Amino acid sequence: MASYYFLLLVLVGATTASGAELCTDFYSCNCPNLLPIVKKGVAKALQKEPRMGASLLRLHFHDCFVNNIIIHLTLLHIIHYHTTLRFYEIKLAYIHNDIMILGGPSWEVGLGRRDSTTASRSDANNSIPAPSLSLTALIKNFANQGLSVTDLVALSGAHTIGLAQCKNFRAHIYNDSNVDPSYRKNLQSKCPKSGNDNIHEALDHQTPIHFDNLYFQNLVSKKALLHSDQELFNGSSTDNLVKKYATNTAAFFEDFAKGMVKLSNIKPLTGSKGQIRINCGKVN
């Protein structure tokens, strides 16, 4: 079962405990029932809005890379009303019930990550990998965060769920040669050379709300939605990893889980560093 309820704990913020490091049992004393409550709440939110799983993954990834994603997004003016609404809904969702299985792996994430008190437009622009990046640039981007090539490929598998906007894949389907002809034609019918910037398309056109390894099979078939995704399978050093994950779901799940743990441990603010923000969009 996908462990998106763990991601929520990372994003919601810490309690008043004073531990100096992240730990998996951070809430065991002051809120021992938090994990099952959040698990049920996130499942309820996913049942209502399947895109929430991808939203949580994206927020977790960006928060770890930038260390202050909500205030950064506010600074960059790219949190739209519906996005903000979805995020606050998921934060409040743990008061509800039900369970929804998305099919992905489970893992234990260290909890207790604080919010940063500063924000930088340049940090956000430079840290978060763009969909136009080359493989060399992607490898360097992840290496800057202490993540390996294996982490890069495995964590990119998060694109087995979620959507991307036309403006982010337009250049790929019109300018790149390594795109399956029928897939290209279908995408071009929805995403013209100009206009329709905000039209969304599934990153995994086969199972967009189910966490599986079809993303990697799509790369092998030259049916990646984003340029940066297809770069992982383009006659380069990462081709073998893509082939491995495309044929071995267990191997992908194992490396993805390991990558998520490493991701959550990128320069975390703990203890007296940072703050537990009352309003996610601004410092206290």
Short mmCIF file of all heavy atoms in Angstrom, two decimals, residues 61 129-142 148-160 172 176 178 203 213-246 252 256:
data_model
loop_
_atom_site.label_atom_id
_atom_site.label_comp_id
_atom_site.label_asym_id
_atom_site.label_seq_id
_atom_site.Cartn_x
_atom_site.Cartn_y
_atom_site.Cartn_z
N PHE A 61 8.73 16.04 -2.43
CA PHE A 61 9.96 16.15 -3.20
C PHE A 61 10.45 17.60 -3.21
O PHE A 61 11.62 17.88 -2.94
CB PHE A 61 9.69 15.68 -4.64
CG PHE A 61 10.87 15.85 -5.56
CD1 PHE A 61 11.90 14.92 -5.57
CD2 PHE A 61 10.95 16.93 -6.42
CE1 PHE A 61 12.99 15.07 -6.41
CE2 PHE A 61 12.03 17.10 -7.27
CZ PHE A 61 13.06 16.17 -7.26
N PRO A 129 14.40 20.48 -10.34
CA PRO A 129 14.74 20.12 -11.72
C PRO A 129 13.60 20.45 -12.69
O PRO A 129 12.45 20.11 -12.43
CB PRO A 129 15.01 18.62 -11.65
CG PRO A 129 14.29 18.16 -10.42
CD PRO A 129 14.34 19.30 -9.46
N ALA A 130 13.94 21.10 -13.78
CA ALA A 130 12.95 21.48 -14.79
C ALA A 130 12.71 20.34 -15.77
O ALA A 130 13.59 19.50 -15.98
CB ALA A 130 13.44 22.72 -15.54
N PRO A 131 11.53 20.29 -16.39
CA PRO A 131 11.22 19.21 -17.35
C PRO A 131 12.05 19.28 -18.63
O PRO A 131 12.01 18.35 -19.43
CB PRO A 131 9.73 19.43 -17.65
CG PRO A 131 9.47 20.85 -17.33
CD PRO A 131 10.37 21.18 -16.17
N SER A 132 12.80 20.35 -18.81
CA SER A 132 13.62 20.51 -20.01
C SER A 132 15.07 20.05 -19.82
O SER A 132 15.86 20.08 -20.76
CB SER A 132 13.63 21.97 -20.45
OG SER A 132 14.15 22.80 -19.41
N LEU A 133 15.42 19.59 -18.61
CA LEU A 133 16.82 19.27 -18.31
C LEU A 133 17.31 18.04 -19.08
O LEU A 133 16.57 17.10 -19.33
CB LEU A 133 17.00 19.03 -16.81
CG LEU A 133 16.89 20.25 -15.88
CD1 LEU A 133 17.26 19.84 -14.46
CD2 LEU A 133 17.77 21.40 -16.35
N SER A 134 18.60 18.07 -19.39
CA SER A 134 19.27 16.92 -19.99
C SER A 134 19.61 15.91 -18.90
O SER A 134 19.54 16.23 -17.70
CB SER A 134 20.55 17.37 -20.69
OG SER A 134 21.49 17.84 -19.73
N LEU A 135 20.02 14.71 -19.30
CA LEU A 135 20.40 13.70 -18.32
C LEU A 135 21.59 14.18 -17.48
O LEU A 135 21.60 14.01 -16.26
CB LEU A 135 20.75 12.39 -19.01
CG LEU A 135 21.21 11.26 -18.08
CD1 LEU A 135 20.13 10.90 -17.07
CD2 LEU A 135 21.62 10.03 -18.89
N THR A 136 22.56 14.78 -18.13
CA THR A 136 23.73 15.29 -17.41
C THR A 136 23.32 16.30 -16.34
O THR A 136 23.81 16.25 -15.21
CB THR A 136 24.73 15.95 -18.39
OG1 THR A 136 25.16 14.98 -19.33
CG2 THR A 136 25.93 16.50 -17.64
N ALA A 137 22.42 17.19 -16.70
CA ALA A 137 21.95 18.20 -15.76
C ALA A 137 21.13 17.57 -14.63
O ALA A 137 21.23 17.99 -13.47
CB ALA A 137 21.12 19.25 -16.49
N LEU A 138 20.34 16.56 -14.95
CA LEU A 138 19.55 15.87 -13.92
C LEU A 138 20.45 15.16 -12.91
O LEU A 138 20.22 15.23 -11.70
CB LEU A 138 18.61 14.85 -14.58
CG LEU A 138 17.41 15.41 -15.33
CD1 LEU A 138 16.75 14.30 -16.16
CD2 LEU A 138 16.40 16.03 -14.38
N ILE A 139 21.46 14.47 -13.42
CA ILE A 139 22.39 13.77 -12.55
C ILE A 139 23.09 14.76 -11.62
O ILE A 139 23.23 14.52 -10.41
CB ILE A 139 23.42 12.98 -13.38
CG1 ILE A 139 22.74 11.82 -14.10
CG2 ILE A 139 24.55 12.45 -12.49
CD1 ILE A 139 23.64 11.06 -15.06
N LYS A 140 23.50 15.89 -12.16
CA LYS A 140 24.17 16.92 -11.35
C LYS A 140 23.21 17.50 -10.33
O LYS A 140 23.58 17.72 -9.17
CB LYS A 140 24.70 18.03 -12.26
CG LYS A 140 25.43 19.13 -11.50
CD LYS A 140 25.96 20.20 -12.45
CE LYS A 140 26.67 21.31 -11.67
NZ LYS A 140 27.17 22.37 -12.57
N ASN A 141 21.97 17.74 -10.74
CA ASN A 141 20.96 18.30 -9.84
C ASN A 141 20.74 17.40 -8.64
O ASN A 141 20.68 17.86 -7.49
CB ASN A 141 19.66 18.52 -10.62
CG ASN A 141 18.54 19.09 -9.77
OD1 ASN A 141 17.82 18.34 -9.12
ND2 ASN A 141 18.39 20.40 -9.79
N PHE A 142 20.62 16.10 -8.87
CA PHE A 142 20.39 15.16 -7.79
C PHE A 142 21.66 14.98 -6.96
O PHE A 142 21.59 14.85 -5.72
CB PHE A 142 19.91 13.82 -8.34
CG PHE A 142 18.42 13.74 -8.50
CD1 PHE A 142 17.75 14.58 -9.39
CD2 PHE A 142 17.67 12.83 -7.77
CE1 PHE A 142 16.37 14.52 -9.54
CE2 PHE A 142 16.28 12.76 -7.91
CZ PHE A 142 15.64 13.61 -8.79
N SER A 148 22.05 9.66 -5.62
CA SER A 148 22.79 8.93 -6.65
C SER A 148 22.00 8.84 -7.95
O SER A 148 20.82 9.24 -8.02
CB SER A 148 23.10 7.52 -6.16
OG SER A 148 21.89 6.77 -6.05
N VAL A 149 22.63 8.28 -8.98
CA VAL A 149 21.96 8.05 -10.25
C VAL A 149 20.81 7.07 -10.06
O VAL A 149 19.74 7.23 -10.66
CB VAL A 149 22.96 7.52 -11.31
CG1 VAL A 149 22.23 7.11 -12.58
CG2 VAL A 149 24.00 8.58 -11.63
N THR A 150 21.02 6.07 -9.22
CA THR A 150 19.93 5.13 -8.93
C THR A 150 18.76 5.84 -8.29
O THR A 150 17.59 5.58 -8.62
CB THR A 150 20.43 4.00 -7.99
OG1 THR A 150 21.46 3.26 -8.65
CG2 THR A 150 19.29 3.05 -7.62
N ASP A 151 19.04 6.76 -7.36
CA ASP A 151 17.98 7.55 -6.74
C ASP A 151 17.23 8.36 -7.79
O ASP A 151 15.99 8.45 -7.76
CB ASP A 151 18.55 8.49 -5.68
CG ASP A 151 19.20 7.77 -4.51
OD1 ASP A 151 18.70 6.69 -4.14
OD2 ASP A 151 20.20 8.28 -3.99
N LEU A 152 17.98 8.96 -8.71
CA LEU A 152 17.37 9.77 -9.77
C LEU A 152 16.36 8.95 -10.57
O LEU A 152 15.21 9.37 -10.76
CB LEU A 152 18.46 10.31 -10.70
CG LEU A 152 18.00 10.84 -12.07
CD1 LEU A 152 17.08 12.04 -11.91
CD2 LEU A 152 19.20 11.18 -12.94
N VAL A 153 16.79 7.79 -11.03
CA VAL A 153 15.92 6.98 -11.89
C VAL A 153 14.73 6.43 -11.09
O VAL A 153 13.58 6.49 -11.54
CB VAL A 153 16.71 5.83 -12.53
CG1 VAL A 153 15.79 4.97 -13.41
CG2 VAL A 153 17.86 6.39 -13.38
N ALA A 154 15.02 5.91 -9.90
CA ALA A 154 13.94 5.32 -9.09
C ALA A 154 12.92 6.38 -8.68
O ALA A 154 11.71 6.16 -8.80
CB ALA A 154 14.53 4.64 -7.85
N LEU A 155 13.38 7.53 -8.21
CA LEU A 155 12.46 8.57 -7.76
C LEU A 155 11.69 9.19 -8.92
O LEU A 155 10.56 9.67 -8.74
CB LEU A 155 13.22 9.65 -6.99
CG LEU A 155 13.74 9.23 -5.62
CD1 LEU A 155 14.62 10.32 -5.01
CD2 LEU A 155 12.58 8.89 -4.68
N SER A 156 12.28 9.17 -10.11
CA SER A 156 11.55 9.65 -11.29
C SER A 156 10.33 8.79 -11.54
O SER A 156 9.36 9.22 -12.18
CB SER A 156 12.46 9.65 -12.52
OG SER A 156 13.51 10.59 -12.38
N GLY A 157 10.36 7.56 -11.03
CA GLY A 157 9.22 6.67 -11.15
C GLY A 157 7.98 7.18 -10.47
O GLY A 157 6.88 6.63 -10.67
N ALA A 158 8.10 8.25 -9.66
CA ALA A 158 6.92 8.89 -9.07
C ALA A 158 6.00 9.41 -10.17
O ALA A 158 4.80 9.62 -9.94
CB ALA A 158 7.35 10.04 -8.16
N HIS A 159 6.55 9.58 -11.37
CA HIS A 159 5.74 10.05 -12.49
C HIS A 159 4.84 8.94 -13.05
O HIS A 159 4.22 9.12 -14.10
CB HIS A 159 6.64 10.61 -13.60
CG HIS A 159 7.15 11.97 -13.28
ND1 HIS A 159 8.01 12.66 -14.12
CD2 HIS A 159 6.93 12.79 -12.21
CE1 HIS A 159 8.30 13.84 -13.58
NE2 HIS A 159 7.67 13.93 -12.42
N THR A 160 4.76 7.83 -12.35
CA THR A 160 3.78 6.82 -12.70
C THR A 160 2.37 7.27 -12.33
O THR A 160 1.38 6.67 -12.74
CB THR A 160 4.10 5.47 -12.02
OG1 THR A 160 3.22 4.47 -12.53
CG2 THR A 160 3.92 5.55 -10.51
N HIS A 172 8.90 18.93 -26.05
CA HIS A 172 9.26 17.51 -26.23
C HIS A 172 8.52 16.90 -27.41
O HIS A 172 9.12 16.20 -28.24
CB HIS A 172 8.95 16.75 -24.95
CG HIS A 172 9.21 15.28 -25.02
ND1 HIS A 172 10.43 14.75 -25.42
CD2 HIS A 172 8.41 14.20 -24.73
CE1 HIS A 172 10.37 13.43 -25.38
NE2 HIS A 172 9.15 13.07 -24.97
N ASP A 176 11.63 17.11 -30.13
CA ASP A 176 12.47 15.94 -29.90
C ASP A 176 12.16 14.84 -30.90
O ASP A 176 11.00 14.64 -31.30
CB ASP A 176 12.29 15.42 -28.48
CG ASP A 176 12.82 16.38 -27.43
OD1 ASP A 176 13.55 17.31 -27.81
OD2 ASP A 176 12.50 16.20 -26.23
N ASN A 178 12.98 11.54 -30.31
CA ASN A 178 12.81 10.25 -29.64
C ASN A 178 11.43 10.10 -29.01
O ASN A 178 11.29 9.81 -27.82
CB ASN A 178 13.91 10.06 -28.58
CG ASN A 178 13.94 11.20 -27.56
OD1 ASN A 178 13.32 12.23 -27.76
ND2 ASN A 178 14.68 10.99 -26.48
N LEU A 203 1.00 11.71 -16.89
CA LEU A 203 2.40 11.34 -17.04
C LEU A 203 2.53 9.87 -17.43
O LEU A 203 3.43 9.49 -18.17
CB LEU A 203 3.15 11.62 -15.73
CG LEU A 203 3.36 13.10 -15.41
CD1 LEU A 203 3.63 13.29 -13.92
CD2 LEU A 203 4.50 13.67 -16.23
N ASN A 213 4.94 0.16 -12.34
CA ASN A 213 6.19 0.37 -13.09
C ASN A 213 5.96 0.68 -14.57
O ASN A 213 6.90 0.65 -15.37
CB ASN A 213 7.11 -0.85 -12.95
CG ASN A 213 6.59 -2.06 -13.72
OD1 ASN A 213 5.39 -2.20 -13.93
ND2 ASN A 213 7.50 -2.92 -14.14
N LEU A 214 4.73 0.99 -14.95
CA LEU A 214 4.44 1.25 -16.36
C LEU A 214 5.12 2.52 -16.86
O LEU A 214 5.36 2.67 -18.07
CB LEU A 214 2.93 1.34 -16.59
CG LEU A 214 2.16 0.02 -16.44
CD1 LEU A 214 0.70 0.20 -16.81
CD2 LEU A 214 2.78 -1.08 -17.28
N TYR A 215 5.46 3.41 -15.97
CA TYR A 215 6.21 4.61 -16.35
C TYR A 215 7.49 4.21 -17.07
O TYR A 215 7.84 4.78 -18.11
CB TYR A 215 6.53 5.42 -15.10
CG TYR A 215 7.65 6.43 -15.24
CD1 TYR A 215 7.41 7.67 -15.82
CD2 TYR A 215 8.93 6.12 -14.80
CE1 TYR A 215 8.44 8.61 -15.94
CE2 TYR A 215 9.97 7.05 -14.93
CZ TYR A 215 9.72 8.28 -15.49
OH TYR A 215 10.74 9.19 -15.62
N PHE A 216 8.19 3.22 -16.54
CA PHE A 216 9.45 2.78 -17.14
C PHE A 216 9.22 2.04 -18.45
O PHE A 216 10.02 2.16 -19.38
CB PHE A 216 10.23 1.92 -16.14
CG PHE A 216 10.64 2.67 -14.91
CD1 PHE A 216 9.97 2.50 -13.71
CD2 PHE A 216 11.69 3.57 -14.95
CE1 PHE A 216 10.33 3.21 -12.58
CE2 PHE A 216 12.07 4.29 -13.82
CZ PHE A 216 11.38 4.11 -12.64
N GLN A 217 8.14 1.29 -18.53
CA GLN A 217 7.80 0.64 -19.79
C GLN A 217 7.51 1.69 -20.87
O GLN A 217 7.86 1.50 -22.03
CB GLN A 217 6.60 -0.28 -19.59
CG GLN A 217 6.87 -1.44 -18.65
CD GLN A 217 5.67 -2.34 -18.46
OE1 GLN A 217 4.81 -2.45 -19.33
NE2 GLN A 217 5.60 -3.00 -17.31
N ASN A 218 6.90 2.79 -20.47
CA ASN A 218 6.63 3.88 -21.41
C ASN A 218 7.93 4.52 -21.90
O ASN A 218 8.04 4.91 -23.06
CB ASN A 218 5.74 4.94 -20.75
CG ASN A 218 4.33 4.45 -20.52
OD1 ASN A 218 3.85 3.55 -21.20
ND2 ASN A 218 3.66 5.03 -19.54
N LEU A 219 8.92 4.63 -21.02
CA LEU A 219 10.20 5.19 -21.43
C LEU A 219 10.85 4.31 -22.50
O LEU A 219 11.37 4.81 -23.50
CB LEU A 219 11.15 5.32 -20.23
CG LEU A 219 10.75 6.22 -19.07
CD1 LEU A 219 11.93 6.39 -18.11
CD2 LEU A 219 10.26 7.57 -19.54
N VAL A 220 10.80 3.00 -22.29
CA VAL A 220 11.38 2.07 -23.25
C VAL A 220 10.66 2.17 -24.59
O VAL A 220 11.27 2.05 -25.66
CB VAL A 220 11.31 0.62 -22.71
CG1 VAL A 220 11.77 -0.37 -23.76
CG2 VAL A 220 12.16 0.49 -21.44
N SER A 221 9.36 2.45 -24.55
CA SER A 221 8.56 2.57 -25.77
C SER A 221 8.58 3.98 -26.36
O SER A 221 7.85 4.27 -27.31
CB SER A 221 7.10 2.18 -25.48
OG SER A 221 7.00 0.87 -24.99
N LYS A 222 9.40 4.85 -25.79
CA LYS A 222 9.51 6.25 -26.22
C LYS A 222 8.18 6.98 -26.10
O LYS A 222 7.78 7.76 -26.97
CB LYS A 222 10.03 6.33 -27.66
CG LYS A 222 11.43 5.77 -27.83
CD LYS A 222 11.95 5.95 -29.25
CE LYS A 222 13.37 5.40 -29.38
NZ LYS A 222 13.91 5.57 -30.76
N LYS A 223 7.50 6.72 -24.98
CA LYS A 223 6.22 7.36 -24.71
C LYS A 223 6.26 8.14 -23.41
O LYS A 223 5.29 8.16 -22.64
CB LYS A 223 5.10 6.31 -24.69
CG LYS A 223 4.87 5.64 -26.03
CD LYS A 223 3.76 4.62 -25.95
CE LYS A 223 3.53 3.95 -27.31
NZ LYS A 223 2.45 2.93 -27.24
N ALA A 224 7.39 8.77 -23.14
CA ALA A 224 7.50 9.65 -21.97
C ALA A 224 6.85 10.97 -22.28
O ALA A 224 7.01 11.51 -23.39
CB ALA A 224 8.97 9.85 -21.60
N LEU A 225 6.13 11.54 -21.33
CA LEU A 225 5.46 12.82 -21.56
C LEU A 225 6.44 13.99 -21.53
O LEU A 225 6.29 14.94 -22.30
CB LEU A 225 4.36 13.02 -20.52
CG LEU A 225 3.48 14.26 -20.70
CD1 LEU A 225 2.68 14.17 -21.99
CD2 LEU A 225 2.56 14.45 -19.49
N LEU A 226 7.43 13.91 -20.67
CA LEU A 226 8.37 15.01 -20.49
C LEU A 226 9.73 14.69 -21.11
O LEU A 226 10.17 13.55 -21.10
CB LEU A 226 8.56 15.32 -19.01
CG LEU A 226 7.31 15.67 -18.20
CD1 LEU A 226 7.68 15.90 -16.74
CD2 LEU A 226 6.60 16.89 -18.78
N HIS A 227 10.38 15.72 -21.59
CA HIS A 227 11.74 15.57 -22.13
C HIS A 227 12.67 14.98 -21.08
O HIS A 227 13.45 14.06 -21.37
CB HIS A 227 12.25 16.94 -22.57
CG HIS A 227 13.71 16.95 -22.93
ND1 HIS A 227 14.18 16.61 -24.19
CD2 HIS A 227 14.82 17.25 -22.19
CE1 HIS A 227 15.50 16.70 -24.20
NE2 HIS A 227 15.91 17.08 -23.01
N SER A 228 12.60 15.48 -19.85
CA SER A 228 13.50 15.02 -18.79
C SER A 228 13.29 13.55 -18.47
O SER A 228 14.23 12.85 -18.10
CB SER A 228 13.30 15.86 -17.52
OG SER A 228 11.94 15.86 -17.12
N ASP A 229 12.06 13.06 -18.62
CA ASP A 229 11.80 11.64 -18.38
C ASP A 229 12.42 10.78 -19.48
O ASP A 229 13.08 9.78 -19.20
CB ASP A 229 10.29 11.38 -18.31
CG ASP A 229 9.68 11.84 -17.01
OD1 ASP A 229 10.41 11.90 -16.00
OD2 ASP A 229 8.48 12.15 -16.98
N GLN A 230 12.22 11.17 -20.74
CA GLN A 230 12.76 10.37 -21.83
C GLN A 230 14.28 10.38 -21.84
O GLN A 230 14.92 9.45 -22.35
CB GLN A 230 12.23 10.86 -23.17
CG GLN A 230 12.46 9.88 -24.32
CD GLN A 230 11.78 8.53 -24.08
OE1 GLN A 230 10.56 8.45 -23.99
NE2 GLN A 230 12.58 7.46 -23.97
N GLU A 231 14.89 11.40 -21.22
CA GLU A 231 16.34 11.46 -21.11
C GLU A 231 16.89 10.27 -20.34
O GLU A 231 18.05 9.88 -20.53
CB GLU A 231 16.76 12.76 -20.43
CG GLU A 231 16.75 13.97 -21.31
CD GLU A 231 17.89 13.95 -22.31
OE1 GLU A 231 19.04 14.24 -21.91
OE2 GLU A 231 17.64 13.64 -23.50
N LEU A 232 16.09 9.67 -19.48
CA LEU A 232 16.53 8.52 -18.70
C LEU A 232 16.70 7.27 -19.56
O LEU A 232 17.40 6.34 -19.17
CB LEU A 232 15.53 8.23 -17.57
CG LEU A 232 15.30 9.34 -16.55
CD1 LEU A 232 14.25 8.90 -15.53
CD2 LEU A 232 16.59 9.74 -15.86
N PHE A 233 16.03 7.27 -20.72
CA PHE A 233 16.18 6.16 -21.65
C PHE A 233 16.39 6.72 -23.05
O PHE A 233 15.46 6.93 -23.81
CB PHE A 233 14.94 5.25 -21.63
CG PHE A 233 15.14 3.97 -22.39
CD1 PHE A 233 15.79 2.89 -21.79
CD2 PHE A 233 14.70 3.83 -23.69
CE1 PHE A 233 15.97 1.70 -22.49
CE2 PHE A 233 14.89 2.66 -24.40
CZ PHE A 233 15.53 1.58 -23.80
N ASN A 234 17.63 6.99 -23.34
CA ASN A 234 17.95 7.65 -24.61
C ASN A 234 19.36 7.26 -25.05
O ASN A 234 20.14 8.10 -25.49
CB ASN A 234 17.83 9.17 -24.46
CG ASN A 234 17.82 9.90 -25.78
OD1 ASN A 234 17.40 9.36 -26.79
ND2 ASN A 234 18.30 11.14 -25.77
N GLY A 235 19.69 5.96 -24.91
CA GLY A 235 21.00 5.48 -25.29
C GLY A 235 22.10 5.95 -24.37
O GLY A 235 23.22 6.24 -24.82
N SER A 236 21.81 5.99 -23.07
CA SER A 236 22.77 6.55 -22.11
C SER A 236 23.03 5.60 -20.95
O SER A 236 22.59 4.44 -20.95
CB SER A 236 22.23 7.88 -21.58
OG SER A 236 21.00 7.65 -20.90
N SER A 237 23.71 6.12 -19.94
CA SER A 237 24.14 5.31 -18.80
C SER A 237 22.99 4.82 -17.93
O SER A 237 23.16 3.88 -17.14
CB SER A 237 25.12 6.12 -17.94
OG SER A 237 24.50 7.31 -17.47
N THR A 238 21.83 5.42 -18.04
CA THR A 238 20.70 5.03 -17.19
C THR A 238 19.76 4.04 -17.88
O THR A 238 18.77 3.60 -17.27
CB THR A 238 19.90 6.27 -16.74
OG1 THR A 238 19.52 7.02 -17.90
CG2 THR A 238 20.74 7.15 -15.83
N ASP A 239 20.04 3.69 -19.12
CA ASP A 239 19.15 2.79 -19.85
C ASP A 239 18.94 1.46 -19.14
O ASP A 239 17.82 0.94 -19.08
CB ASP A 239 19.71 2.51 -21.25
CG ASP A 239 19.47 3.66 -22.22
OD1 ASP A 239 19.06 4.75 -21.76
OD2 ASP A 239 19.71 3.48 -23.42
N ASN A 240 20.01 0.89 -18.59
CA ASN A 240 19.90 -0.41 -17.95
C ASN A 240 19.02 -0.38 -16.71
O ASN A 240 18.28 -1.33 -16.44
CB ASN A 240 21.29 -0.95 -17.59
CG ASN A 240 22.07 -1.42 -18.80
OD1 ASN A 240 21.48 -1.77 -19.83
ND2 ASN A 240 23.39 -1.43 -18.72
N LEU A 241 19.08 0.72 -15.96
CA LEU A 241 18.22 0.85 -14.78
C LEU A 241 16.76 0.94 -15.20
O LEU A 241 15.88 0.33 -14.58
CB LEU A 241 18.60 2.09 -13.97
CG LEU A 241 19.60 1.91 -12.84
CD1 LEU A 241 19.95 3.25 -12.21
CD2 LEU A 241 19.07 0.95 -11.77
N VAL A 242 16.49 1.70 -16.24
CA VAL A 242 15.13 1.82 -16.74
C VAL A 242 14.60 0.45 -17.18
O VAL A 242 13.47 0.06 -16.85
CB VAL A 242 15.05 2.82 -17.91
CG1 VAL A 242 13.68 2.77 -18.57
CG2 VAL A 242 15.34 4.23 -17.42
N LYS A 243 15.41 -0.30 -17.91
CA LYS A 243 15.02 -1.64 -18.35
C LYS A 243 14.76 -2.55 -17.15
O LYS A 243 13.81 -3.35 -17.15
CB LYS A 243 16.10 -2.26 -19.23
CG LYS A 243 16.25 -1.61 -20.61
CD LYS A 243 17.37 -2.29 -21.38
CE LYS A 243 17.56 -1.67 -22.76
NZ LYS A 243 18.70 -2.27 -23.49
N LYS A 244 15.60 -2.43 -16.13
CA LYS A 244 15.45 -3.25 -14.93
C LYS A 244 14.11 -2.98 -14.26
O LYS A 244 13.36 -3.91 -13.92
CB LYS A 244 16.59 -2.96 -13.96
CG LYS A 244 16.50 -3.66 -12.62
CD LYS A 244 17.65 -3.25 -11.71
CE LYS A 244 17.53 -3.89 -10.33
NZ LYS A 244 18.66 -3.48 -9.44
N TYR A 245 13.79 -1.70 -14.07
CA TYR A 245 12.54 -1.36 -13.40
C TYR A 245 11.32 -1.66 -14.28
O TYR A 245 10.24 -1.96 -13.76
CB TYR A 245 12.54 0.13 -13.02
CG TYR A 245 13.59 0.52 -12.01
CD1 TYR A 245 14.13 1.81 -12.01
CD2 TYR A 245 14.06 -0.38 -11.06
CE1 TYR A 245 15.09 2.18 -11.09
CE2 TYR A 245 15.03 -0.02 -10.14
CZ TYR A 245 15.54 1.26 -10.16
OH TYR A 245 16.50 1.63 -9.25
N ALA A 246 11.50 -1.59 -15.59
CA ALA A 246 10.40 -1.87 -16.51
C ALA A 246 9.97 -3.33 -16.45
O ALA A 246 8.82 -3.66 -16.76
CB ALA A 246 10.79 -1.49 -17.93
N PHE A 252 12.04 -1.90 -8.53
CA PHE A 252 11.66 -0.49 -8.56
C PHE A 252 11.12 -0.05 -7.21
O PHE A 252 11.54 0.98 -6.66
CB PHE A 252 10.63 -0.25 -9.66
CG PHE A 252 9.88 1.06 -9.52
CD1 PHE A 252 10.55 2.25 -9.26
CD2 PHE A 252 8.49 1.09 -9.66
CE1 PHE A 252 9.85 3.45 -9.13
CE2 PHE A 252 7.80 2.27 -9.53
CZ PHE A 252 8.47 3.45 -9.25
N PHE A 256 12.82 2.73 -4.94
CA PHE A 256 12.02 3.94 -4.73
C PHE A 256 11.88 4.23 -3.24
O PHE A 256 12.03 5.37 -2.80
CB PHE A 256 10.64 3.78 -5.37
CG PHE A 256 9.77 5.00 -5.23
CD1 PHE A 256 9.87 6.05 -6.14
CD2 PHE A 256 8.84 5.10 -4.21
CE1 PHE A 256 9.07 7.18 -6.02
CE2 PHE A 256 8.03 6.23 -4.07
CZ PHE A 256 8.15 7.26 -4.99
#
